[in-house]
Every structure is written in structure tokens, then in C-alpha cells.
Amino acid sequence: EAQVTQNPRYLITVTGKKLTVTCSQNMNHEYMSWYRQDPGLGLRQIYYSMNVEVTDKGDVPEGYKVSRKEKRNFPLILESPSPNQTSLYFCASSLEGLNTEAFFGQGTRLTVV
Amino acid sequence: GQQVMQIPQYQHVQEGEDFTTYCNSSTTLSNIQWYKQRPGGHPVFLIQLVKSGEVKKQKRLTFQFGEAKKNSSLHITATQTTDVGTYFCAGPGGGDYKLSFGAGTTVTVRA
């Protein structure tokens, strides 16, 4: 089954404790991205990747890091989480970027206390 | 940079009624996509519009892309409880590879 898998689905952590949210897709898609969803703000792009070893900032990259060492994986790293990073996070992939449909993961609900 | 604005933010609809949600961009879009997110779920792709003035239909949903390719609309006819959720439009913005989403229209249905 074609899918985008995120883990964990839920996470409560403390300020400053490094964490990683994993994202994996099995569709051989080139383009992957991370979004955060906050009430009234829709989906805001954090980082995106056009292909292996190619990443770039989205609209809200501060406080986040990503890497794309393999085509299927695109982890999101929070080196020192803060409460304002409490949000719902989605990973998405698409075959060729912005002109093809995006497939979203199930989401990760992150709470930073 | 590129911004995609979506109105209204909330739409409360009586079952059986029609409604429309609108999406406006500050710049011309090469294409626009629409997604639906059910409560507690993740966004799911509905459709992509590419051509100026394009109109596409999916059962009771009608999607339009404006002539200037700066706005789009989603019209739902005879709303059903299954239409509950948040509808997002999204377009390329702020560069070749960034995707900009509208804030979404959250639809609730009164039976």
C-alpha cells in the first residue's frame, strides 16, 4: 500500500530535549516536505527536499533541521524544542514536487512543556 | 512572498444547502490544488487545476480556476454530513519549490 508513515503519532516532551520525528514514504517520490498545522493558520511549510541531499527552507524553518540521506526518509529534527513548537506536524511526499498531488502522513501531535 | 488567502474561515451549512469557498493569490499561479482534511485526519488531495478558466467536477463538488490564474473556488451542492471537514487550497509560492496553503475553510453541517 502506497503510504507516508510518520512516527511517533503523539509526543510530549520537555523544553530543550532534542527529538526526531521520522517520515518514510514507499512511493519512490522525489519531493518531500514538512508542515506544521496551527489553528487559524492552515498548513505552513517548514522544510522541503527536492531529492536526496537537496533540502531548503520553507516559510517557518526556525528551530528545525532536516536531512535527506535516502530517498524514502525525511526526518524532522528539533534540536532544542520550545513550547511555541507545540503543534500538529505533517510530512508529505509527491512524485515531482509542486505539480503533482501530495500524499500526507497521519500526523504527529507534539506537545512541548 | 507568495500568499494564498482563503475565505471564509468557517462555514456552517444546513444539510442540503450549497456553499462556496474561495481562494485568492497575490500572484499568478501555475496551478492550484485542493485538499480535504476530515476532523482528526490528514489532508487528502482532491484535485489540481492548471488551465486558465478551468472547471472540474467531482460529483457534488465543482472546482474553478480563475481566468487570471490568481483565484479559485470550490462549490459544494446539496451539502451532506460527509462533507464535514476543512478544505484547503494550495499553490506554488515564494519560489519554484515551495507550496503555500491557505488557512482553510472548516465546514460544519446541521442535519
Side-chain angles (χ1 to χ4, degrees):
Chain A
E1 180 188 357
Q3 60 185 2
V4 178
T5 304
Q6 288 178 234
N7 280 296
R9 294 288 311 278
Y10 302 91
L11 179 61
I12 301 175
T13 190
V14 296
T15 298
K17 185 177 181 182
K18 180 179 179 180
L19 67 91
T20 299
V21 184
T22 64
C23 175
S24 180
Q25 51 95 2
N26 62 359
M27 296 169 279
N28 201 36
H29 285 172
E30 292 187 349
Y31 186 91
M32 297 186 74
S33 57
W34 277 101
Y35 299 88
R36 60 177 288 172
Q37 184 174 23
D38 302 289
L41 297 177
L43 292 154
R44 293 181 293 168
Q45 196 172 40
I46 302 171
Y47 269 94
Y48 60 91
S49 170
M50 288 303 298
N51 214 322
V52 175
E53 301 293 359
V54 181
T55 63
D56 208 348
K57 297 177 180 178
D59 291 322
V60 288
E62 293 78 21
Y64 304 95
K65 287 175 58 178
V66 294
S67 67
R68 189 91 181 273
K69 297 178 181 177
E70 305 167 282
K71 198 170 188 178
R72 63 183 292 125
N73 295 322
F74 190 45
L76 179 69
I77 304 157
L78 283 72
E79 294 271 4
S80 182
S82 61
N84 63 13
Q85 292 179 298
T86 292
S87 187
L88 177 59
Y89 291 87
F90 287 102
C91 177
S93 74
S94 57
L95 182 62
E96 294 178 347
L98 305 183
N99 295 319
T100 53
E101 72 176 276
F103 293 81
F104 283 79
Q106 298 295 317
T108 296
R109 175 76 64 183
L110 173 65
T111 302
V112 183
V113 298
Chain B
Q2 163 71 29
Q3 283 199 356
V4 176
M5 309 299 291
Q6 200 171 345
I7 55 171
Q9 186 174 357
Y10 298 99
Q11 185 81 54
H12 307 290
V13 188
Q14 180 71 42
E15 190 174 17
E17 290 184 343
D18 303 351
F19 76 90
T20 303
T21 176
Y22 300 90
C23 185
N24 297 296
S25 168
S26 55
T27 59
T28 301
L29 300 170
S30 59
N31 70 82
I32 195 159
Q33 298 177 348
W34 285 88
Y35 291 80
K36 178 183 179 180
Q37 183 179 22
R38 294 183 186 276
H42 60 279
V44 175
F45 176 83
L46 293 176
I47 209 160
Q48 177 172 278
L49 305 171
V50 179
K51 299 177 183 177
S52 170
E54 188 170 15
V55 178
K56 287 188 176 180
K57 292 189 176 183
Q58 289 181 350
K59 297 182 180 179
R60 295 177 296 101
L61 276 61
T62 301
F63 303 84
Q64 288 190 318
F65 202 9
E67 293 291 338
K69 301 182 75 172
K70 295 178 70 173
N71 57 72
S72 181
S73 65
L74 161 58
H75 181 79
I76 299 183
T77 306
T79 304
Q80 299 178 358
T81 55
T82 54
D83 295 323
V84 165
T86 300
Y87 295 83
F88 294 99
C89 60
D96 290 338
Y97 303 112
K98 285 186 182 180
L99 188 61
S100 178
F101 278 80
T105 294
T106 298
V107 177
T108 54
V109 179
R110 299 189 300 273

